[in-house]
């Protein structure tokens, strides 16, 4: 397990706990009381740290290398029923954007999401979760197929942004994202969006329009990353913590602004500390969200979605 800077006190206590347990196993000494005492301290320390997280610390947790990614959620939720589909029928298959059909119980869903890598090799293979235009076109192709067969759509958002390279711009990155936003607002099947990590810029919006937008507790959703905001305003990355505070990018801020619908609580210590628990929570949240929309007609569904997005940003003086 890797630890972030502010998690060091937790690491120290976990090391002490492991040492005490080892002594108990290797010798005749009874260390049960000591282990229980350390365990109690550990839970208290975790509660203390995770109760008072700053926006920048939440950004760090959302990028934690041990945090589960899109395929982890899909495989845990769907098991063997997931069938990955490839290609945008135009340029190529974008490895940063994955999608396919899977089942939760007896209900089929079309899953779409950005996928990051676990080590240097897979990060390069997945382009660090930054999709090219063909990734967004693949996502749209799968969503249109889902619409054709009346299958609801689930989108997992986890990206540092759409790929900003020259070739991506040449192939129409802006148009691909804009097209997705347009088509998703009028898709005739339920769309459930889950922000599981980073929700940065247009890269997140390209698959982020939904009837129900869920956000994991320690994730962020913003037009720009704190580092980029800091470098634009102060010509330096040093002010990223101030930028994170000012951007109001946490799940609590987003819920307050009515830009998302629901916060999915994470296990104590973040999603990476108890994968099974977070998989169960996300699975039940998706099922619950789907039950709200499954009986609506396509017309009602689109109308409700349009109204929801038209109401955003309206302030009464």
């Amino acid at each position: 397990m890797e630890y972030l800077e502010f998690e060091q006190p937790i690491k120290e206590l976990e090391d002490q706990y492991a040492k005490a347990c080892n002594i108990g196993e290797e010798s005749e000494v009874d260390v049960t009381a000591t282990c229980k005492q350390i365990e109690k301290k550990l839970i208290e320390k975790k509660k203390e740290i995770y109760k008072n997280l700053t926006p920048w610390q939440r950004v760090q947790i959302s990028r934690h290398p041990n945090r589960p990614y899109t395929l982890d959620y899909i495989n845990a939720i769907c098991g063997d029923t997931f069938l990955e589909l490839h290609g945008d029928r135009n340029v190529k298959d974008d490895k940063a954007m994955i999608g396919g059909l899977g089942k939760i119980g007896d209900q089929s869903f079309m899953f779409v999401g950005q996928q990051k890598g676990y080590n240097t090799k897979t990060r390069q293979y997945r382009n660090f979760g930054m999709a090219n235009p063909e990734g967004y076109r693949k996502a749209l192709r799968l969503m249109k197929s889902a619409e054709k067969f009346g299958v609801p759509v689930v989108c997992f958002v986890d990206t540092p942004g759409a790929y900003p390279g020259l070739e991506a711009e040449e192939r129409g990155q802006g148009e691909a994202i804009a097209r997705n936003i347009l088509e998703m607002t009028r898709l005739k099947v339920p769309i459930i969006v889950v922000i599981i990590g980073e929700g940065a810029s247009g890269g997140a919006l390209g698959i982020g329009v939904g009837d129900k937008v869920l956000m994991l507790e320690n994730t962020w959703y913003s037009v720009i990353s704190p580092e980029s905001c800091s470098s634009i305003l102060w010509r330096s990355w040093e002010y990223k913590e101030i930028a994170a505070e000012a951007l109001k990018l946490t799940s609590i801020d987003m819920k307050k602004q009515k830009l998302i619908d629901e916060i999915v609580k994470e296990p104590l210590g973040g999603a990476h500390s108890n994968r099974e628990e977070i998989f169960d929570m996300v699975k039940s949240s998706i099922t619950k969200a789907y039950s709200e929309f499954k009986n609506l007609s396509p017309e009602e569904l689109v109308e409700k979605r349009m109204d929801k997005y038209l109401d955003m940003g309206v302030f009464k003086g």
Side-chain angles (χ1 to χ4, degrees):
M1 175 72 80
E2 291 186 45
Y3 294 86
L4 300 166
E5 201 180 318
F6 64 89
E7 290 179 315
Q8 286 310 310
I10 295 168
K11 182 186 187 296
E12 283 163 25
L13 283 167
E14 281 183 351
D15 289 345
Q16 280 176 28
Y17 181 73
K19 273 181 196 168
C21 291
N22 281 345
I23 290 165
E25 281 169 24
E26 289 166 11
S27 65
E28 301 297 308
V29 183
D30 183 16
V31 290
T32 318
T34 313
C35 285
K36 275 187 177 167
Q37 206 179 344
I38 298 170
E39 199 174 4
K40 192 184 168 193
K41 258 189 187 175
L42 184 60
I43 291 165
E44 281 169 11
K45 182 55 76 177
K46 274 188 176 180
K47 280 180 181 169
E48 184 197 320
I49 288 173
Y50 284 93
K51 202 171 72 182
N52 304 304
L53 289 173
T54 65
W56 173 244
Q57 285 170 339
R58 289 195 194 275
V59 170
Q60 287 177 293
I61 296 171
S62 76
R63 297 170 176 166
H64 200 289
N66 300 118
R67 199 174 171 86
Y69 297 136
T70 297
L71 274 174
D72 298 319
Y73 283 97
I74 291 172
N75 291 330
I77 290 167
C78 302
D80 299 333
T81 64
F82 181 62
L83 171 70
E84 192 176 346
L85 300 167
H86 299 271
D88 72 334
R89 302 286 183 269
N90 193 5
V91 179
K92 61 175 183 180
D93 183 41
D94 190 337
K95 301 293 186 289
M97 185 76 76
I98 58 130
L101 286 160
K103 279 188 170 185
I104 299 177
D106 294 327
Q107 177 61 50
S108 294
F109 288 89
M110 180 66 82
F111 291 92
V112 173
Q114 289 109 348
Q115 175 68 21
K116 292 176 175 176
Y118 304 94
N119 52 36
T120 308
K121 197 175 177 183
T122 54
R123 282 177 194 131
Q124 286 176 322
Y125 178 72
R126 297 287 180 188
N127 200 30
F128 301 88
M130 297 189 291
N132 277 280
E134 48 273 20
Y136 291 99
R137 289 176 182 132
K138 168 164 83 170
L140 183 59
R141 180 178 77 79
L142 299 184
M143 287 187 242
K144 292 301 250 180
S145 294
E147 181 183 51
K148 186 178 176 182
F149 297 106
V151 175
V153 174
V154 175
C155 297
F156 288 113
V157 175
D158 186 13
T159 180
Y163 183 58
L166 178 66
E167 62 273 32
E169 298 299 342
E170 285 173 346
R171 290 198 296 273
Q173 185 72 286
E175 189 276 339
I177 291 169
R179 170 78 51 197
N180 275 28
I181 294 169
L182 171 70
E183 295 291 350
M184 284 179 89
T185 54
R186 55 193 191 192
L187 208 71
K188 292 181 174 67
V189 288
I191 309 169
I192 298 148
V193 176
V194 190
I195 297 157
I196 57 168
E198 299 184 89
S201 193
L205 280 180
I207 57 165
V209 178
D211 299 294
K212 192 89 166 179
V213 180
L214 311 169
M215 199 169 170
L216 266 58
E217 189 183 1
N218 296 314
T219 60
W220 61 280
Y221 196 19
S222 173
V223 70
I224 194 169
S225 72
E227 295 94 327
S228 301
C229 177
S230 173
S231 67
I232 290 168
L233 294 180
W234 291 283
R235 300 277 184 270
S236 160
W237 278 26
E238 279 176 39
Y239 302 93
K240 53 187 182 286
E241 291 176 45
I242 300 166
E245 185 77 48
L247 283 166
K248 303 281 181 233
L249 42 66
T250 66
S251 55
I252 298 150
D253 293 321
M254 297 301 285
K255 181 83 172 72
K256 214 179 275 179
Q257 303 278 8
K258 296 188 172 68
L259 297 171
I260 62 155
D261 302 297
E262 206 174 290
I263 299 169
V264 179
K265 206 157 172 49
E266 289 186 23
L268 185 63
H272 57 281
S273 66
N274 190 336
R275 285 173 164 236
E276 300 311 312
E277 194 182 327
I278 196 68
F279 293 151
D280 285 344
M281 283 175 168
V282 169
K283 184 178 180 177
S284 60
S285 297
I286 290 169
T287 312
K288 187 176 153 229
Y290 176 60
S291 66
E292 287 178 39
F293 300 103
K294 64 179 182 184
N295 296 323
L296 295 177
S297 71
E299 291 73 25
E300 286 174 310
L301 200 63
V302 174
E303 194 180 338
K304 274 191 86 162
R305 195 185 305 143
M306 290 275 198
D307 289 344
K308 177 189 158 181
Y309 281 91
L310 285 169
D311 283 345
M312 284 181 188
V314 174
F315 290 89
K316 290 175 178 70

